[in-house]
């Protein structure tokens, strides 16, 4: 499959950069999700249980937001 995206002039420079950086955003969200997963699944003995629960809820919310945009980290 071949996809061609065209942007005209400097006024569309930001849109072009956003389109080209999409994979970086996905990797950043993947890293955030994995960090939250690790912190909620393997808390240290000194971690406050409320903080651990917050990690879990934030990860869940991240998933909900991605789903609302029909996006997946898989």
């Amino acid at each position: 499959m071949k996809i061609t995206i065209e942007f005209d002039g400097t006024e569309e420079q930001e849109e072009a950069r956003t389109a080209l950086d999409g994979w970086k955003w996905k990797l950043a969200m993947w890293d955030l999700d994995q960090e939250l997963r690790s912190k909620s699944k393997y808390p240290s003995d000194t971690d406050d249980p409320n903080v651990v629960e917050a990690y879990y809820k934030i990860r869940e919310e991240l998933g909900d937001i991605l789903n609302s945009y029909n996006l997946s980290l898989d």
Side-chain angles (χ1 to χ4, degrees):
M1 176 178 15
K2 183 177 182 179
I3 297 174
T4 302
I5 302 174
E6 292 184 22
F7 296 95
D8 295 318
T10 58
E11 59 274 354
E12 293 184 358
Q13 185 173 357
E14 186 64 29
E15 289 86 356
R17 179 54 38 206
T18 299
L20 294 171
D21 285 346
W23 65 275
K24 291 179 185 177
W25 282 96
K26 182 175 182 174
L27 290 176
M29 291 298 98
W30 170 266
D31 288 347
L32 176 59
D33 181 65
Q34 293 304 300
E35 185 68 22
L36 292 168
R37 178 183 180 276
S38 177
K39 288 182 179 290
S40 62
K41 190 170 182 178
Y42 306 108
S44 72
D45 294 335
T46 59
D47 285 341
D48 181 334
N50 293 324
V51 173
V52 175
E53 181 66 19
Y55 291 143
Y56 177 79
K57 288 182 179 184
I58 292 168
R59 184 171 185 236
E60 192 173 71
E61 183 65 25
L62 175 61
D64 290 345
I65 290 168
L66 291 171
N67 285 334
S68 74
Y69 285 97
N70 200 28
L71 296 171
S72 171
L73 295 176
D74 298 326

